[in-house]
Each structure stands twice: as C-alpha cells, then as structure tokens.
Amino acid sequence: MSVDIDFFFDLSSPWTRLAFHNIGPALAGLPARVTLRPFLVGGVFNAVNPTVYQMRAEGSQRLAQSFAWLKEWAELAGVAMNFPSPHHPLKSVAPMRACCALEHDQPALHRFAAAAFEAYFNHQRNLDDPVVVAEVADECGLDGAALTRAAAEQPAKDRLRANTEEAVVRGAFGSPFLFLGDYRYFGN
C-alpha cells in the first residue's frame, strides 16, 4: 500500500529546509509518494497562528534557543545553515509564485526548491528579488526568465492563494506541514 504525502512548504522556513532535505532519505525504500505543495506560511500565520510574530520578537529567549537548535539539527542532517541572513524574514511571494508555476512538474519544482533553499540558507541570497529567483532557476537548469514571467501571471498567483487557503482549511499552522491522508505532521 502506497502512502501519498502532501508536503506544504515555504522557502522562507529554515525548518522546512531541513524537512525538505530529510524526507527523501527518511522515506527511501518505502512505498510513499511526496507531492510538493507551495504555499505562503505568512498567510497561514495570519489566518490561524498570529502569535508567532510575538514569539519572534527581537531579544526573545525562545527565538535564540530555537536558532541554536536549528543549527544543531542542520549539522546532524549535513545541511548548510548560514542563518539568519540579512534578508530575514523573507517575504517569499516571488519565489513561492515561481514554485507554483512549477507545481505541475514535480521534478522541476524539486530541483528549483533545492537550489532556492541552498541559495537562501547557505549563500544568503535575497529570494525576494525576482532577478535572484531567475538566476537560481537558471543555475538549476531551468529557464529563469520564463519562470519569473510565469510567476508574475495570474495562474501562479491564484495557485499560491488556493494552496495557502487549502492548507489552512486542512489544519496547517506553519511550514512545513505534511498531510498523510488524515494524519497531519508539522516540522522537521
């Protein structure tokens, strides 16, 4: 029996970078299929988890400890985590619309997301800049100019809004959020 997993993600989330990296090895050899579903975690926070912004206040002891744990988890996973970057917090609308433009082509979406995570969390590149999004796409073998054009069109905008609304309706409260049938899972 195969398990279908909807992996809702936002490129701005360091915990999502870890989960994105870890899910493939964790499922290796198992009858599971992961479908990447781009959404805006900020839209989810605004709808169901607005207190997250208070917990992230500058000087927050919880935030400092969370970043320390994040770096430990990244080291354990063998994932570069040069975070937070000068571009944090990332608004992520531009790269997430690009992801939505690729959602129909899961291998291309996976390639782009992997490259974008690396660009933001290792090299501290500003994914809020569509020029950077195009460069990242080019670097992973996609047509960056075509992707940024598609990301600016209404279908990508509508898809991002619909995915975010679907995640909220299904019970998401952060990124990453995974759905395995009726089972819900949050985090790395």
Side-chain angles (χ1 to χ4, degrees):
M1 178 176 142
S2 180
V3 176
D4 290 329
I5 300 169
D6 284 338
F7 185 104
F8 282 84
F9 75 102
D10 187 312
L11 292 167
S12 68
S13 165
W15 295 101
T16 304
R17 173 173 168 66
L18 293 175
F20 180 85
H21 172 79
N22 289 334
I23 195 165
L27 296 175
L30 298 176
R33 184 183 69 183
V34 177
T35 301
L36 298 176
R37 304 289 309 278
F39 76 143
L40 281 178
V41 72
V44 172
F45 290 158
N46 291 340
V48 300
N49 195 9
T51 59
V52 75
Y53 300 114
Q54 294 166 345
M55 292 185 293
R56 290 182 175 175
E58 195 168 317
S60 162
Q61 190 132 45
R62 179 179 178 170
L63 183 64
Q65 185 60 55
S66 177
F67 282 171
W69 287 330
L70 173 67
K71 290 182 184 210
E72 290 171 359
W73 276 109
E75 185 177 328
L76 180 65
V79 174
M81 189 63 70
N82 188 10
F83 183 78
S85 86
H87 308 293
H88 178 72
L90 187 69
K91 291 181 184 71
S92 75
V93 173
M96 296 316 298
R97 284 180 179 166
C99 287
C100 285
L102 294 170
E103 190 173 358
H104 67 283
D105 182 348
Q106 287 286 304
L109 174 53
H110 190 277
R111 233 175 35 248
F112 176 74
F117 278 128
E118 181 68 11
Y120 183 61
F121 289 105
N122 188 20
H123 302 291
Q124 297 191 338
R125 292 169 69 187
N126 183 7
L127 294 179
D128 281 334
D129 183 344
V131 172
V132 173
V133 171
E135 291 170 354
V136 169
D138 287 338
E139 291 161 10
C140 71
L142 300 171
D143 182 339
L147 181 58
T148 55
R149 277 193 308 275
E153 294 175 359
Q154 199 60 45
K157 294 175 183 180
D158 292 345
R159 166 72 76 170
L160 186 56
R161 183 174 296 108
N163 285 359
T164 303
E165 289 171 359
E166 178 186 342
V168 168
V169 167
R170 291 176 71 181
F173 51 81
S175 179
F177 216 95
L178 289 70
F179 295 94
L180 299 77
D182 291 334
Y183 182 78
R184 300 176 305 159
Y185 185 83
F186 166 70
N188 175 31

